[in-house]
Amino acid sequence: MSSCDDSWRITRRGFLGTGAALAAPAIPALAASPAVRAGEPVQAAFSDVGPLRSSGEYLHGAEEAARWIHSARMEKERGIAWHPDPDHPEKAVTVGPDNTVYSGSAGIVLFLLELGRAAGKDSYVDEAQRGADYLASTWKRLLSGGSAGPLPGSALSFDNGLAGTAFSLTEVWKAVQRPAYRDAAFAATQALVGSVRSSGNGWISSPGVGLGGGVALYLLYAARAFHDPSLRELAASGGERILDLAERDPRGGLRWRGVDLRSVKTRAYGVPPNAYFPNFELGTAGVAYVLARLYEETKRPEFLDAAKEGARHIESIATVDGDAALVHYREPDLTDIYYLGYCHGPAGTARLFYQLYKVTGQRHYLEWTEKLARGIVRSGVPEKLTPGYWNVVCQCCGSAAVTELFLSLSLATGKAEYRDFALRVADQLISRQTDLDGKGYRWYQAWTRIKPWEVNAETGYKIGAAGVGAALLHTHLAARGRYSAILFPDNPFPAVA
């Protein structure tokens, strides 16, 4: 769970007040060229306008991030792991366990795997495999100690639990074709399935993408990876429970509490127990995305109907300024604050609308995907560090997430304007690196927004240098016209240009 809180705000008045005055210098008027229709081949838009930097600078930035991460490696009994916060080596973990995706080794492995493939350097793949060796030898720990975090369902989740670790092992197996990684990934998946089956509906009681919903998405991924349709059926059973958890909202549509905060201590995050998050990681947008994916895999109309109702709810509460929109952070207390990243902002919530466009072909959903993107542009970033974008660069909450969204939109729509904006945000990412000790690039940020004066630099994927490096790597590939990415199960956009 992101701990971004209410210390720094984009207000409703501020967003609506910017209008075209901020949009004009920030990005050219969006072209009226037709979007790619669902199911049609994707046309990349990377050939006619050059990047603001040489694409080699983006690759250099990714490799410098990898160099700093390499300096933080720790030899283990089997394989290696990496310090999550190298300035404080006494911290064994930060957000989640050291063998998971969010802030641990599983996410770093994925970044190094991609970097090795793109840069053509075996050394990165070798280091990724040594990290995978550690994952293979430790994944059982995620089942032995209860919750992996303060939220219910973390132990099995994608971000901070077993689903993400199994995904990382599976991707390494796909890349290097070593049976040992396939065996470890399959065993971890079987253990996850056993826990899901033994818990009844408990595994999906917090259906947010960051929790039970992410487990359902991993099951859909694993059903294909291991050619096991029973995993798809198990995911669908979770979807049935999600339908039961829906709440009709008087403003329109259906909503879900992605996490039931009434049963956990949330004071450390400054979150009231009755909080409702509408966006992606812990909110309605992410839950509805899970249902839309379940429909795509099962063709069960009840899943699509509910997903559409979830999107209708998001539309009903959005702040709209012409062709741009943003959705507030949370209710009932922070309806006048907006974030821009993946966790609680449009970089995540746009995924719901694009997924609905994919499965329905209805242009309305593509229009809302683009409205949310324009909401980011209209805020004035990246040149203006708005309150909702203040001093945060990571894949969860910040610039890396924004870069990824606009790269994806450029592929999905064929519009070079989105590519150009992604390059500008990537330039900002490079400009904010620190390398005072010569060990490589890292990024200091105030991820814990409750205390904005506390900054740190982490190595992990969702919160640190691995994720920023991945965004720079994807930018390099996009600028060269050969975009390719390992997409997590909650990402509906094209994986290859």
Side-chain angles (χ1 to χ4, degrees), residues 204 450 461:
I204 201 72
I450 299 169
Y461 196 98

Side-chain angles (χ1 to χ4, degrees), residues 143 156 162 186 188-204 215-216 219-220 222-223 228-238 240:
L143 296 172
L156 298 181
L162 186 55
F186 183 75
T189 301
Q190 290 301 108
L192 182 146
V193 168
S195 293
V196 165
R197 293 191 187 280
S198 66
S199 68
N201 287 327
W203 68 281
I204 201 72
V215 176
L219 291 171
L220 295 178
D228 185 351
S230 71
L231 302 183
R232 186 178 305 111
E233 295 168 6
L234 185 58
S237 72
E240 293 167 1

Side-chain angles (χ1 to χ4, degrees), residues 101 106-107 109-110 113 135 158 161-174 185 188-189 192 217-218 221-222 225-226 485-490:
V101 166
V109 164
L110 293 169
L113 197 65
L135 302 181
F158 190 89
L162 186 55
T165 303
F167 175 83
S168 185
L169 285 165
T170 306
E171 288 297 317
V172 175
W173 162 57
K174 288 180 179 180
T189 301
L192 182 146
L217 294 175
Y218 173 73
Y221 164 89
F226 299 111
I486 294 175
L487 298 185
F488 293 176
D490 63 4

Side-chain angles (χ1 to χ4, degrees), residues 69-70 72-74 80-84 105 108-109 112 127-128 131 459:
I69 292 168
H70 179 77
R73 71 193 181 283
M74 298 179 287
I80 60 172
W82 296 268
H83 287 289
S105 297
I108 293 172
V109 164
L112 294 174
E127 188 164 358
T459 57

Side-chain angles (χ1 to χ4, degrees), residues 290-303:
V290 173
L291 291 170
R293 278 287 293 122
L294 285 169
Y295 168 75
E296 186 175 25
E297 296 287 338
T298 68
K299 304 305 180 189
R300 291 175 54 174
E302 64 268 32
F303 291 147

